[in-house]
């Protein structure tokens, strides 16, 4: 929804700076400083005027700069019908530089309309300066004064042009009209809010299906964004379009919306993986309890059928994603997981029987030297004690005597 509606000149300046005039910003305290530091000086005695009829605009300008300051000018005119593309003027004229007042004429314009006129000055094929004026084709004088656009752009220079449109209520229906009574249609920007007017120029409210997307307009007609509640929760992106059938990220949190745009909760299966969404629809990570304990990785995907490492501890999850406890046999080795599912290492007493688990958690068998003492563990991992093994006598604590 790329719309450009120029209600005040500050917006025009922003577009000129962003797309047309990539120059260094220099704040000039006076003309002497400006002459020394500003690479694109502009005179305080510039001239930009316009005379209009219902179908023509005569533009006259003079930057009043020293000879040789500029090589050529390009004069562009845009019909402000609610939207226009800053890169595509309705008409343009290129003029070689001449000293003094220059005049050009635009013809075949639409009656009862507003137009923006840009006069751009070039040096060595580079844009060096711009001045702007807003005019109308009601056969009256220009709507606003002319404004220089140098590269200092002080914050206090908020050159305001009167909004040529106004809201009108007739029989309970709102329209957005110019001073000639012409109703606007489609999307319009008023202040910071977008509104939609149907083909009859009537402001719409509620859910609207436009060009393949759903939008929600509040009771005042303003387009909504973000989360909205209408018997269910929906998410509208920055352009007001309702998201659906996929994941959305809002302030760092992921949510899953179904085909109707409703956010989901609980277990959901998406792209061959299980995810868990809390009661607010937020995707969970880490441990979650839902009758059993499950682990969700940083992407929210449920881990299963293998080991997971969390905060320095190993856990083992079965094919259903449930964490295991007690003895588990994995890839030919026995491991022991405590009641919290944490893998154990070192000495382990299970009932009255002692085992020894390696640093990787694997159950040890055979002879083992632990703290300067030898111990023997049978093939089932049980520590031998009060017996003789391979000619060596083992004490009650299992250590070799």
């Amino acid at each position: 929804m790329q719309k450009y509606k120029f209600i005040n000149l500050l917006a025009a300046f922003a577009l000129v700076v962003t797309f047309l005039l990539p120059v260094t910003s220099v704040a000039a305290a006076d003309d002497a400083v400006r002459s020394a530091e500003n690479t694109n000086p502009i005179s305080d005695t510039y001239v930009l005027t316009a005379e209009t009829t219902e179908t023509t605009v005569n533009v006259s300008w003079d930057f009043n700069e020293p000879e040789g300051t500029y090589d050529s000018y390009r004069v562009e005119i845009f019909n402000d019908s609610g939207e226009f593309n800053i890169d595509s003027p309705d008409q343009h004229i290129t003029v070689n530089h001449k000293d003094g007042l220059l005049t050009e004429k635009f013809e075949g314009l639409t009656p009862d309309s507003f137009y923006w006129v840009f006069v751009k000055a070039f040096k060595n094929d580079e844009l060096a300066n711009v001045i702007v004026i807003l005019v109308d084709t009601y056969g009256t004088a220009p709507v606003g004064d002319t404004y220089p656009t140098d590269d200092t752009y002080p914050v206090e220079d908020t050159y305001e042009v009167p909004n040529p449109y106004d809201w009108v209520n007739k029989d309970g229906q709102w329209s957005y009209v110019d001073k000639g009574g012409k109703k606007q249609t489609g999307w319009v920007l008023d202040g910071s809010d977008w509104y939609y007017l149907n083909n009859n120029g009537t402001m719409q409210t509620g859910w609207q299906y436009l060009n393949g997307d759903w939008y929600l307009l509040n009771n005042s007609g303003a387009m909504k964004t973000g989360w909205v509640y209408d018997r269910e929760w929906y998410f509208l992106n920055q352009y007001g379009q309702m998201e659906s059938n996929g994941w959305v990220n809002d302030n760092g949190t992921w949510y899953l919306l179904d085909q109707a745009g409703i956010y989901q909760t609980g277990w959901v299966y998406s792209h061959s993986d299980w995810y868990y969404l809390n009661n607010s629809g937020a995707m969970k990570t880490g441990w979650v309890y839902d009758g059993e304990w499950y682990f969700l990785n940083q992407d929210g995907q449920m881990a299963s059928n293998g080991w997971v490492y969390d905060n320095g501890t190993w856990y083992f999850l079965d094919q259903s994603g449930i964490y295991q406890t007690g003895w588990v046999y994995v890839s030919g080795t026995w491991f022991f997981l405590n009641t919290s599912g944490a893998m154990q290492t070192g000495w382990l007493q299970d009932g009255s029987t002692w085992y020894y688990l390696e640093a990787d958690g694997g159950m040890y068998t055979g002879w083992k030297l632990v703290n300067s003492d030898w111990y023997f563990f049978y093939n089932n991992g049980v520590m031998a004690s009060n017996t003789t093994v391979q000619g060596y006598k083992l004490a009650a604590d299992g250590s070799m005597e």
Side-chain angles (χ1 to χ4, degrees):
M1 194 194 303
Q2 301 260 336
K3 306 180 181 72
Y4 301 105
K5 177 171 178 60
F6 286 15
I7 296 175
N8 61 62
L9 196 58
L10 189 58
F13 287 167
L15 282 177
V16 171
V17 175
T18 303
F19 298 108
L20 301 178
L21 197 54
V23 296
T24 304
S25 177
V26 179
D30 52 40
D31 287 344
V33 175
R34 177 174 295 175
S35 296
E37 296 182 6
N38 192 339
T39 58
N40 294 301
I42 184 168
S43 169
D44 291 333
T45 59
Y46 66 91
V47 174
L48 177 58
T49 60
E51 296 179 354
T52 66
T53 70
E54 290 188 346
T55 58
T56 64
V57 172
N58 287 291
V59 183
S60 299
W61 75 94
D62 185 355
F63 281 86
N64 281 311
E65 295 287 12
E67 184 177 357
T69 301
Y70 306 124
D71 299 327
S72 63
Y73 303 102
R74 178 181 168 100
V75 191
E76 300 176 344
I77 191 166
F78 300 84
N79 183 353
D80 184 11
S81 59
E83 304 176 18
F84 69 80
N85 186 340
I86 193 66
D87 295 319
S88 301
D90 294 279
Q91 296 183 40
H92 72 271
I93 301 169
T94 300
V95 183
N96 291 331
H97 174 70
K98 297 177 182 178
D99 291 332
L101 189 69
L102 300 177
T103 300
E104 290 295 339
K105 183 177 182 180
F106 293 105
E107 298 180 299
L109 304 181
T110 302
D112 300 336
S113 297
F114 289 92
Y115 284 88
W116 289 93
V117 179
F118 287 69
V119 181
K120 304 176 182 179
F122 291 84
K123 180 68 174 180
N124 297 325
D125 296 325
E126 296 288 339
L127 182 62
N129 231 326
V130 181
I131 48 179
V132 186
I133 191 172
L134 177 64
V135 300
D136 65 43
T137 51
Y138 292 95
T140 62
V143 174
D145 295 331
T146 58
Y147 307 103
T149 58
D150 63 13
D151 59 352
T152 58
Y153 303 106
V155 174
E156 63 272 20
D157 288 350
T158 55
Y159 303 105
E160 301 232 355
V161 175
N163 184 356
Y165 303 97
D166 196 10
W167 290 102
V168 174
N169 188 306
K170 183 177 181 181
D171 299 329
Q173 294 184 329
W174 286 97
S175 299
Y176 200 50
V177 302
D178 62 22
K179 68 178 183 179
K182 181 181 178 181
K183 294 182 179 180
Q184 300 299 291
T185 61
W187 288 103
V188 298
L189 179 65
D190 183 23
S192 60
D193 290 315
W194 285 100
Y195 299 82
Y196 185 78
L197 312 173
N198 66 13
N199 291 336
N200 296 323
T202 303
M203 183 192 77
Q204 304 297 287
T205 61
W207 287 103
Q208 302 292 323
Y209 190 68
L210 306 168
N211 297 320
D213 286 297
W214 283 100
Y215 300 82
L216 181 62
L217 311 174
N218 67 16
N219 291 336
S220 299
M223 184 189 78
K224 302 284 289 181
T225 61
W227 289 105
V228 296
Y229 184 77
D230 184 20
R231 291 174 291 183
E232 299 285 353
W233 282 100
Y234 301 86
F235 186 79
L236 311 175
N237 63 25
Q238 61 180 325
Y239 303 113
Q241 300 157 335
M242 185 191 79
E243 297 283 359
S244 63
N245 198 30
W247 292 94
V248 297
N249 187 289
D250 182 41
N251 291 324
T253 300
W254 286 98
Y255 300 83
L256 183 66
L257 310 176
D258 67 11
Q259 289 184 339
I262 301 171
Y263 85 91
Q264 304 297 284
T265 61
W267 287 104
V268 295
Y269 191 68
S270 175
H271 297 97
S272 303
D273 283 297
W274 284 99
Y275 299 81
Y276 188 82
L277 313 173
N278 67 14
N279 291 336
S280 299
M283 185 191 78
K284 299 289 289 181
T285 61
W287 292 103
V288 296
Y289 184 77
D290 184 30
E292 300 285 353
W293 282 100
Y294 301 85
F295 186 81
L296 311 172
N297 63 27
Q298 291 183 345
D299 295 327
Q301 299 161 343
M302 184 191 78
S304 63
N305 197 31
W307 293 98
V308 297
Y309 188 71
D310 182 46
N311 289 327
T313 302
W314 286 97
Y315 300 84
F316 188 80
L317 311 176
D318 68 9
Q319 289 184 339
S320 299
I322 301 171
Y323 87 91
Q324 302 298 285
T325 62
W327 289 102
V328 294
Y329 190 67
V330 181
S331 301
T333 302
W334 284 98
F335 299 84
F336 189 85
L337 313 172
N338 67 15
T339 55
S340 298
M343 185 191 78
Q344 301 297 283
T345 60
W347 287 105
L348 170 71
Q349 186 179 21
D350 185 19
S352 59
T353 303
W354 285 93
Y355 300 83
Y356 191 84
L357 308 173
E358 294 278 51
D360 64 0
M363 184 187 75
Y364 194 82
T365 61
W367 289 101
K368 178 70 174 177
L369 180 65
V370 182
N371 296 329
S372 302
D373 288 312
W374 284 98
Y375 298 85
F376 184 81
F377 300 89
Y378 296 112
N379 289 338
N380 61 1
V382 174
M383 183 193 75
S385 62
N386 287 324
T387 187
T388 299
V389 176
Q390 298 174 359
Y392 297 95
K393 187 175 182 179
L394 303 176
D397 65 357
S399 62
M400 181 188 297
E401 294 183 354

